[in-house]
Amino acid sequence: LASGFGAGSKICRASGRMVKVLSGPLVFDTHEMGRKPGAERTFAVAIEAPADLGYDVYGVPEGSAVEIELRLEAIMEGILATGSASARATGECVRCLDSIDNNIVVGFQELYLYDDAPEDQKSEDSFILEDELLDLETALRDAVVLALPHNPLCGPDCPGLCAECGARIADDPGHPHGAARRAGGTSGSGEARS
C-alpha cells in the first residue's frame, strides 16, 4: 500500500481462496515496523469523512474533509495508534432547530493486537491487525461519536421554540407566549389559567 494506505476496499483471490483485502484511506501498513517494540511511524493525512461519523441530528458530513495526525508505535502486544482528528460537524440545535456548524478536534488511542496474539488477550471489543494492516475507521468513528453531544445546542442559553406557536424565542425575547409562561398564570390571550 502506497504511503501506508490504499484507495478502496475490495475482495480478491489469493492462494486459491477468497480473502478480504483491507485498503482505503484509513488503512495503514505496519509491515515496515517489523514488530520491533519502540519502532514508530507518523502520518498526517487528509481524507474524506466516511459515512455515519456522528448522529442523525449532529455529525461530520460524509465526504467532508477530516485531517488526521497519527503515530503508530510497536509494542510487545501489537501496535499502539495515538492521534487526533479535526473536522467540521454540522446539524441542528435540539431546542430551536437552528443549524449548527462547528470545528471539532478529537483525540484517540487504541491498541491493535497482532493477529496471532494469544486468545486470552483478545476480546470481542479488541482491535486486531489483519496481515499487519491497521484499519483506523472504527476507532475514528468511536472517538468522534463519543466526543459529540447527544443533544447539540446552538448555544448554552438557547431558549428553544414557543410551545404554543413554534416561534424561535431567541429571535423575540418578548414573545407573548413565552412571557405568559414566565409570568406564571396567564395564557397569550391574557386570561387566567385554571
Side-chain angles (χ1 to χ4, degrees), residues 137-148:
E137 186 170 340
T138 302
L140 175 65
R141 181 173 287 110
D142 290 352
V144 170
V145 169
L146 290 173
L148 294 175

Side-chain angles (χ1 to χ4, degrees), residues 71 73 80-83 107-112 127 139 143:
R71 186 183 82 220
E73 179 182 1
L80 184 63
T82 305
F108 56 87
Q109 184 173 59
E110 294 291 347
L111 174 60
Y112 287 76
F127 290 101

Side-chain angles (χ1 to χ4, degrees), residues 14-169:
S15 305
R17 59 189 171 100
M18 293 295 286
V19 294
K20 181 178 179 185
V21 175
L22 292 177
S23 63
L26 291 170
V27 175
F28 297 84
D29 189 345
T30 66
H31 284 99
E32 293 177 14
M33 298 173 75
R35 294 192 177 199
K36 298 176 191 159
E40 285 189 16
R41 291 186 70 195
T42 58
F43 300 90
V45 295
I47 64 158
E48 291 184 0
D52 302 322
L53 211 52
Y55 302 103
D56 290 339
V57 294
Y58 191 55
V60 177
E62 183 175 358
S64 65
V66 178
E67 294 182 13
I68 299 172
E69 292 189 17
L70 176 66
R71 186 183 82 220
L72 302 179
E73 179 182 1
I75 61 174
M76 294 298 289
E77 298 86 1
I79 303 291
L80 184 63
T82 305
S84 65
S86 58
R88 183 179 58 84
T90 62
E92 290 182 342
C93 174
V94 295
R95 289 187 188 158
C96 71
L97 305 179
D98 259 11
S99 62
I100 303 172
D101 190 335
N102 294 318
N103 290 324
I104 61 166
V105 177
V106 298
F108 56 87
Q109 184 173 59
E110 294 291 347
L111 174 60
Y112 287 76
L113 297 172
Y114 292 121
D115 53 4
D116 59 359
E119 290 302 315
D120 64 340
Q121 290 183 0
K122 297 178 183 177
S123 74
E124 65 180 49
D125 296 331
S126 296
F127 290 101
I128 310 293
L129 293 169
E130 294 184 38
D131 193 29
E132 307 297 317
L133 298 175
L134 183 150
D135 187 352
L136 192 64
E137 186 170 340
T138 302
L140 175 65
R141 181 173 287 110
D142 290 352
V144 170
V145 169
L146 290 173
L148 294 175
H150 289 277
N151 296 309
L153 300 175
C154 60
D157 298 327
C158 176
L161 301 175
C162 174
E164 291 184 38
C165 69
R168 188 170 180 264
I169 296 173

